[in-house]
Amino acid sequence: MKLKSLQQYLLITPQVLVLLLFLILPIITIFVISFWDFNGYTMTPSFTLVNYKDIFSPTYFATYLNNFKFTALVWLFTLVIGFPVAYFLAFYVKSLRWQIILFLICTIPFLTSNIIRMISWIPFLGREGILNKALMSLNLIDAPLDIFLFSNFSVVLAMVHLYVLFMIVPIFNSMVRIEPSLISAARDAGASGFQVLKEVIVPLSAPGIAIGSIFIVTLVMGEFITVRLMSGGQTSSVGYLMSNQIRSLQYPLAAANAVILLVITLAIVVGILRVVDIRKEL
């Protein structure tokens, strides 16, 4: 019995070591450095709360609000796009072969670099871009609009484009597990199409929506490259802020922001897990 128990511990030892070395230890290091002092030139090991006090200044507070705004908007739009796409693939495409083919078509754009996909929006959204020219040719506008590029609009659009697949996949995975007999029984009981969607499909798809939401929240909360490129430096996020702090060698302040961002993200994820049980999807 002891030998079997020892073998079980030996089997999980590599995973535990990897987890400690590449996850737990870096988080602990960041947490410790967040309390160090920085005098503008060097950082000194100490215990100070100045870095955390600076985060609650109006400037930083506005940046965090901006982060929440991006996260909420990207989550909403990816859900609005992802749910109908997953619904169509799961219930309107009857052939497994065509489901696979159409699903692969959805994934093809995501095989390219994120940077390339972001940059591809610039000639489309610019003042002389395709969108402005199309609107002018339709006489909807008299002059090119600047709101499409290097703005919050372009940041959210690029993020939705980058991350919508992370919402489609788990929702589709939940929907294909729904027994057709449940939908047939609901229809036989006199339920309308909307009632079937509301009372059967949405509740049974909730774990997939929750998993997709976790993906979107964790990805967008730490985003900084998209914000930097698509906003043209005219807006900010916490990730972009930390990137600038690291470049200016303000490691303790960047570490404090990382700790706060991690705590907020974990709180959101825990809130999602408290609302929806995703164990059946794992």
Side-chain angles (χ1 to χ4, degrees):
M1 185 68 180
K2 291 183 178 180
L3 180 60
K4 184 177 180 181
S5 178
L6 179 61
Q7 290 175 340
Q8 292 176 344
Y9 282 113
L10 289 176
L11 286 173
I12 66 171
T13 297
Q15 294 91 326
V16 172
L17 290 176
V18 170
L19 184 68
L20 289 174
L21 184 61
F22 295 104
L23 180 63
I24 305 300
L25 183 60
I27 291 176
I28 293 175
T29 302
I30 292 172
F31 181 74
V32 172
I33 293 176
S34 69
F35 294 101
W36 287 10
D37 185 35
F38 181 74
N39 59 11
Y41 302 96
T42 59
M43 58 181 182
T44 306
S46 62
F47 183 82
T48 177
L49 297 176
V50 173
N51 299 317
Y52 287 95
K53 290 180 181 179
D54 290 342
I55 293 176
F56 292 97
S57 65
T59 301
Y60 286 100
F61 188 70
T63 303
Y64 275 87
L65 287 180
N66 214 34
N67 224 60
F68 297 147
K69 178 180 67 176
F70 286 146
T71 302
L73 289 174
V74 173
W75 172 81
L76 176 62
F77 289 127
T78 52
L79 180 60
V80 169
I81 295 171
F83 191 90
V85 171
Y87 183 86
F88 174 79
L89 291 175
F91 297 111
Y92 281 88
V93 181
K94 302 299 182 182
S95 170
L96 178 61
R97 178 182 178 183
W98 276 106
Q99 280 185 341
I100 296 173
I101 292 174
L102 293 175
F103 191 79
L104 289 176
I105 291 175
C106 291
T107 62
I108 287 175
F110 296 88
L111 300 179
T112 59
S113 167
N114 284 6
I115 303 296
I116 294 175
R117 281 185 283 152
M118 279 187 284
I119 293 176
S120 66
W121 282 107
I122 295 178
F124 182 82
L125 299 174
R127 285 183 59 84
E128 302 300 325
I130 298 173
L131 181 58
N132 268 313
K133 288 184 177 179
L135 293 175
M136 292 179 66
S137 65
L138 295 173
N139 295 321
L140 296 176
I141 57 174
D142 298 324
L145 299 178
D146 296 323
I147 62 171
F148 297 130
L149 187 61
F150 301 139
S151 62
N152 289 342
F153 172 82
S154 59
V155 172
V156 173
L157 178 63
M159 287 186 185
V160 171
H161 178 207
L162 292 176
Y163 301 135
V164 66
L165 187 65
F166 291 93
M167 184 65 81
I168 294 174
V169 172
I171 296 177
F172 173 75
N173 185 57
S174 292
M175 287 184 175
V176 294
R177 296 184 181 189
I178 298 175
E179 290 292 337
S181 58
L182 295 176
I183 299 176
S184 299
R187 288 173 176 167
D188 292 341
S192 63
F194 177 75
Q195 288 175 323
V196 171
L197 178 66
K198 179 183 176 183
E199 303 295 338
V200 179
I201 295 176
V202 171
L204 294 178
S205 302
I209 295 174
I211 294 175
S213 300
I214 291 173
F215 283 145
I216 298 300
V217 167
T218 53
L219 288 168
V220 178
M221 286 293 284
E223 180 64 76
F224 70 97
I225 295 179
T226 306
V227 176
R228 176 185 176 186
L229 291 179
M230 299 307 295
S231 72
Q234 298 185 47
T235 190
S236 184
S237 68
V238 180
Y240 188 24
L241 178 66
M242 288 190 293
S243 175
N244 292 335
Q245 290 168 345
I246 291 172
R247 282 198 295 268
S248 60
L249 305 181
Q250 300 181 54
Y251 296 114
L253 187 56
N257 276 291
V259 171
I260 296 297
L261 186 63
L262 177 62
V263 170
I264 294 173
T265 304
L266 288 177
I268 296 174
V269 171
V270 170
I272 295 173
L273 295 178
R274 291 291 296 272
V275 174
V276 180
D277 184 8
I278 67 170
R279 286 176 296 180
K280 63 181 70 176
E281 294 293 312
L282 302 177

